[in-house]
Amino acid sequence: EAAVTQSPRNKVAVTGGKVTLSCNQTNNHNNMYWYRQDTGHGLRLIHYSYGAGSTEKGDIPDGYKASRPSQENFSLILELATPSQTSVYFCASGGLGGGEQYFGPGTRLTVL
Amino acid sequence: AQRVTQVQPTGSSQWGEEVTLDCSYETSEYFYRIFWYRQLFSGEMVFLIYQPSFDTQNQRSGRYSVVFQKSFKSISLVISASQPEDSGTYFCALSERWTGGLSGKLTFGEGTQVTVIS
């Protein structure tokens, strides 16, 4: 039973449109993270959260917003999508102790 | 600023051989952790092992172990008795300042794609 799920798994959006990527975790972890992975690269942190109601900027936050309405849910929002945001997006959850993170299956986003 | 480098973009081995993957990192922190993940061909990220900076003992987990050279800011992942199922992309990641409920956020290297030939 997958503990971190993401929806949608695939998304095609138009330039200038709004995109919301959703993540749900059943690990009861306080921390959640959004990363993007571009071809041939490692993951880069966009936003993260310590718990419900909190969001923090990661290393590449420009053009993205995040929302953490509950312990289980963490969303990534692209208000005005651009082709440069075409990527694979991963959500992860992790405990307070900073141990390993558990990743969702990823969302492949294409912005045309 | 933290940075993680994996200079081997690809590697291959024969079934049963030992595989060593290298990673170097930059950090000004005293306390940190280095994680290793494998990305399957499906895209799934799987946690393998981690090394805390304050632990002088190299960590082991099943067929995975690390060789930690703290003074050189270098760490290697060793996979013993490699199998075709070990094929995938291996990422090294640095986590700083996890104490007191801080982020535990990860900085990843570029990854090393490994193919184990049967």
Side-chain angles (χ1 to χ4, degrees), chain A residues 18-31:
Chain A
K18 182 177 181 178
V19 177
T20 300
L21 306 182
S22 299
C23 178
N24 177 274
Q25 56 107 353
T26 58
N27 295 319
N28 198 31
H29 284 153
N30 285 71
N31 295 347

Side-chain angles (χ1 to χ4, degrees), chain A residues 16-111:
Chain A
K18 182 177 181 178
V19 177
T20 300
L21 306 182
S22 299
C23 178
N24 177 274
Q25 56 107 353
T26 58
N27 295 319
N28 198 31
H29 284 153
N30 285 71
N31 295 347
M32 294 186 75
Y33 311 83
W34 276 107
Y35 297 90
R36 66 177 280 176
Q37 182 179 30
D38 300 297
T39 304
H41 291 83
L43 282 68
R44 291 182 291 167
L45 182 65
I46 305 170
H47 284 287
Y48 60 100
S49 168
Y50 297 131
S54 93
T55 60
E56 303 289 337
K57 293 180 179 179
D59 298 322
I60 53 166
D62 293 345
Y64 302 93
K65 291 184 179 179
S67 173
R68 181 89 181 268
S70 66
Q71 177 86 338
E72 298 79 20
N73 295 295
F74 190 36
S75 297
L76 185 69
I77 302 153
L78 291 67
E79 295 277 5
L80 294 169
T82 68
S84 65
Q85 293 175 312
T86 293
S87 188
V88 179
Y89 291 85
F90 287 94
C91 175
S93 74
L96 273 177
E100 64 269 26
Q101 293 178 17
Y102 296 87
F103 285 81
T107 294
R108 184 173 297 276
L109 173 66
T110 302
V111 183

Side-chain angles (χ1 to χ4, degrees), chain A residues 31 33 35 37 40-45 48 50 57-59 90 96-105, chain B residues 2 33 35 37 39 42-45 47 50 91 95 98 100-111:
Chain A
N31 295 347
Y33 311 83
Y35 297 90
Q37 182 179 30
H41 291 83
L43 282 68
R44 291 182 291 167
L45 182 65
Y48 60 100
Y50 297 131
K57 293 180 179 179
D59 298 322
F90 287 94
L96 273 177
E100 64 269 26
Q101 293 178 17
Y102 296 87
F103 285 81
Chain B
Q2 60 270 34
R33 292 173 176 171
F35 292 81
Y37 285 85
Q39 186 168 39
S42 65
E44 180 183 356
M45 294 288 288
F47 164 73
Y50 82 90
F91 290 97
S95 175
W98 66 87
L102 292 178
S103 69
K105 57 182 182 172
L106 296 173
T107 300
F108 282 83
E110 305 88 347

Side-chain angles (χ1 to χ4, degrees), chain B residues 18-44:
Chain B
E18 184 176 272
V19 176
T20 299
L21 307 176
D22 300 321
C23 173
S24 62
Y25 56 91
E26 297 174 15
T27 179
S28 56
E29 298 292 332
Y30 183 79
F31 292 109
Y32 55 89
R33 292 173 176 171
I34 305 292
F35 292 81
W36 284 93
Y37 285 85
R38 178 163 71 106
Q39 186 168 39
L40 310 182
F41 294 120
S42 65
E44 180 183 356

